[in-house]
Amino acid sequence: MGTKLTWLSHGGWLIETGQHRVLLDPFLTDNPAAQAHPDDFNDISHILVSHGHFDHVGDTATIARRCGSTVVANFEIAQWFQENFAIQSTVPMNLGGWVTLPLGRVKLVPAIHSSVLPDGTYGGNPGGFLLVLDDARIYFACDTALFSDMRLIASGGLDVAVLPIGDQFTMGPEDSIKAIKLIEPRRVLPAHYGTWPPIEQDVRQWADAVNKQTTAEPVVLEVGGSLCL
Ligand code: NI
Ligand code: MN
């Protein structure tokens, strides 16, 4: 089976590749857009956390404890999970670093955002993730503004980019088009929109703009929908 990406709403993703099941920013509880429940996940080997905000840390501790998942995050967030939630298995990282996980190689890449943890603890620098899997190179920009060095992150070519389009807290639709022109992914998926009124977006209009103005194919998923690569 090839790699499969399932949108859990907001910035949350289930990444399945080979026999590996990995979550990114699983925010389900108190998320009005989410359909899945933390108990739905029983065999998650790793959980990637992009930054410290509540809508990304989400249900990581609950799921990691039940599944015995390894938490992959920047050093400060990894340490916070160890100290506060007795999560023993972590992969601490920092910006620019690669790690090799069972599903493939993962790089923590910069994001322009902020990262305080829900209890006020310093959450280090916010990040995105570049995944190099057997069959695909995938860039999760996570919560970020547009920045020109995205071009460097994409320099090995991208099969898929996942970009925020919600605006107000991250880049919005217009800047996402600029980002797509910089990084030229084969396919682009929108995220971090529609969860609450301030980040509602007309995703059809966004997809039209992607089609007209870039070379990428926009892939708009419903919550719970999947893209098979
Ligand atoms: Ni955030
Ligand atoms: Mn967010």
Side-chain angles (χ1 to χ4, degrees), residues 84-205:
N84 294 280
F85 299 96
I87 304 293
Q88 289 313 315
S89 181
T90 65
V91 176
M93 303 183 70
N94 214 326
L95 298 175
W98 285 99
V99 291
T100 301
L101 302 179
L103 83 157
R105 295 183 75 219
V106 175
K107 185 180 192 182
L108 184 63
V109 297
I112 298 186
H113 193 64
S114 57
S115 181
V116 70
L117 284 152
D119 63 359
T121 302
Y122 172 64
N125 288 307
F129 290 101
L130 179 65
L131 273 54
V132 178
L133 311 179
D134 281 345
D135 58 350
R137 296 174 64 93
I138 307 172
Y139 171 39
F140 288 92
C142 302
D143 283 16
T144 186
L146 172 66
F147 56 99
S148 59
D149 281 358
M150 282 182 171
R151 193 198 297 270
L152 293 174
I153 295 169
S155 61
L158 293 177
D159 298 292
V160 176
V162 179
L163 300 178
I165 67 161
D167 220 333
Q168 186 153 345
F169 304 106
T170 65
M171 68 170 119
E174 278 180 45
D175 278 355
S176 80
I177 299 294
K178 291 181 185 168
I180 295 163
K181 289 176 181 173
L182 281 177
I183 65 181
E184 299 184 317
R186 206 155 61 78
R187 290 191 270 202
V188 60
L189 283 68
H192 213 275
Y193 72 97
T195 321
W196 300 286
I199 58 171
E200 293 290 349
Q201 291 297 338
D202 184 335
V203 72
R204 295 291 150 199
Q205 199 179 322

